[in-house]
Amino acid sequence: MSSRKRSPHDFIFKEELGHGSYSTVYKAIDKRNTKRIFAIKVCSKAHIIKESKVKYVTIEKNTLNLLAKAHHPGIVKLYYTFHDEENLYYVLDYLPGGELLSLLHKMKTFSEVWSKHFTVQLVDTLEFIHSQGVIHRDLKPENVLLDRDGKLMITDFGAAYTTTAGNNDANKSSSSFVGTAEYVSPELLLHNQCSFSSDVWALGCMIFQFVTGSPPFRGENELKTFEKIVALDYPWSSTNIHNNKFLNNINPLIINLVRKILVLEPKDRLSLKKIKQDPWFATVNWNDRNTIWKGIWQ
Ligand code: ADE
């Protein structure tokens, strides 16, 4: 393959796969090798400038470039970037299974086996992302994509924060609200602070959502959602759990794990290391990457 910079003319753009606040993702076929399918994220330059999002697109490109070097199976790979007069283009892995959120909506809830399978892959990927000094800051089921066989990949690093080498206080960044209301951590809402454990908070929200079908904190509007988060007002909190009629068919190990993750004080929240030792994962061999990264359907 020539190393000439690629351009939008090298691809046949097909249907839209999804869109975010300042970008749209399309399925695209490589004209040089029509068997090669990509997902191309197109960001309008005018829109980015008008909405002051220049910082975010730069972060996304730099973070994906940094993470792509290690070839972790749980991170969407960035292959090329280019631009024309109108747009910026990111050529990414195409994941035929689409968003985890769409699958959850279809299934209503995930079985315990599926919930564990997805959680294990998320924990393994998050641990890797954090080891590279990156906080994702917008983890949610829309930003988790599925391969053909049910393996997952985390995408959308537009809100990520990269801690700089040598900065010891790097795990406490001062941030303004970037993520999505339902998954945002209490420390961000209360103290404008974000750390690696803010991603763990979002993971806890996702585990709850896998087994119940809805995120733990959801109000009629963003403000009400925020109020619930800072009051830790969700169905499994110590004040609410006794009135909760919907616990019967959920493994208490899952409830206990979520309750140890959804803790207001970040330093008292379970770390990823501790999560891996949780009894719910007693059967998981975290060192066996082949079992962690096998699919669940064909
Ligand atoms: N939707 C958003 N990004 C996608 C991707 N990379 N592959 C498939 N669907 C997507």
Side-chain angles (χ1 to χ4, degrees):
M1 191 171 67
S2 106
S3 58
R4 173 181 74 76
K5 184 95 180 150
R6 306 206 90 192
S7 87
H9 303 291
D10 295 332
F11 299 90
I12 304 164
F13 283 77
K14 308 292 273 189
E15 72 267 24
E16 183 181 319
L17 297 170
H19 59 262
S21 50
Y22 59 91
S23 64
T24 307
V25 182
Y26 296 93
K27 186 173 174 178
I29 296 170
D30 188 343
K31 284 185 188 166
R32 293 188 207 173
N33 172 0
T34 50
K35 287 204 188 74
R36 203 74 176 95
I37 302 175
F38 290 103
I40 304 190
K41 182 167 177 167
V42 183
C43 309
S44 143
K45 284 185 177 174
H47 198 99
I48 291 166
I49 292 164
K50 187 163 144 258
E51 304 280 323
S52 316
K53 301 282 189 199
V54 177
K55 190 172 118 194
Y56 297 112
V57 290
T58 315
I59 289 173
E60 176 152 38
K61 181 176 163 183
N62 293 344
T63 310
L64 279 170
N65 273 330
L66 171 82
L67 296 175
K69 287 190 193 120
H71 300 285
H72 189 279
I75 297 165
V76 165
K77 195 160 179 262
L78 177 66
Y79 293 88
Y80 317 99
T81 52
F82 41 82
H83 62 107
D84 58 17
E85 294 245 305
E86 261 174 80
N87 300 307
L88 304 175
Y89 300 84
Y90 296 64
V91 182
L92 302 157
D93 276 318
Y94 166 67
L95 277 281
E99 293 175 1
L100 188 61
L101 184 70
S102 313
L103 181 69
L104 184 58
H105 283 162
K106 239 180 269 165
M107 312 274 305
K108 303 278 188 280
T109 59
F110 291 148
S111 68
E112 181 173 339
V113 171
W114 280 28
S115 299
K116 194 186 290 190
H117 166 88
F118 292 136
T119 306
V120 165
Q121 295 189 351
L122 282 171
V123 168
D124 189 57
T125 308
L126 257 191
E127 196 172 47
F128 168 74
I129 293 172
H130 289 178
S131 75
Q132 302 300 299
V134 175
I135 312 172
H136 185 285
R137 300 203 302 180
D138 196 15
L139 270 187
K140 54 180 172 176
E142 288 102 306
N143 287 341
V144 178
L145 301 172
L146 291 165
D147 211 339
R148 180 165 282 107
D149 58 0
K151 287 200 277 282
L152 60 76
M153 281 193 183
I154 294 179
T155 189
D156 206 337
F157 286 80
Y161 177 88
T162 309
T163 60
T164 43
N167 180 1
N168 283 338
D169 201 28
N171 58 358
K172 258 196 177 178
S173 79
S174 165
S175 325
S176 44
F177 176 57
V178 276
T180 302
E182 275 99 345
Y183 306 87
V184 74
S185 62
E187 58 273 20
L188 196 99
L189 294 171
L190 292 170
H191 311 296
N192 251 5
Q193 267 184 357
C194 173
S195 63
F196 294 112
S197 64
S198 314
D199 282 346
V200 177
W201 173 275
L203 173 76
C205 294
M206 283 168 63
I207 302 171
F208 179 97
Q209 188 169 3
F210 292 164
V211 295
T212 67
S214 315
F217 306 97
R218 179 171 274 174
E220 297 134 50
N221 53 45
E222 277 197 349
L223 187 63
K224 294 249 166 70
T225 300
F226 295 157
E227 282 169 2
K228 286 187 168 212
I229 294 170
V230 298
L232 199 70
D233 178 7
Y234 79 110
W236 298 350
S237 70
S238 42
T239 28
N240 295 337
I241 198 154
H242 304 295
N243 312 321
N244 201 303
K245 294 175 245 111
F246 309 105
L247 298 174
N248 313 5
N249 45 16
I250 295 174
N251 182 344
L253 288 181
I254 304 177
I255 298 174
N256 283 335
L257 171 62
V258 169
R259 291 181 51 155
K260 285 180 278 179
I261 297 177
L262 296 182
V263 170
L264 292 179
E265 179 58 47
K267 70 174 175 2
D268 298 332
R269 198 171 295 151
L270 232 48
S271 63
L272 289 174
K273 193 163 162 247
K274 286 268 165 58
I275 291 174
K276 287 166 71 176
Q277 293 159 4
D278 190 82
W280 192 40
F281 301 118
T283 55
V284 176
N285 179 356
W286 292 97
N287 298 320
D288 179 3
R289 311 222 69 216
N290 289 336
T291 22
I292 293 178
W293 288 98
K294 77 176 182 338
I296 42 173
W297 66 82
Q298 289 312 312

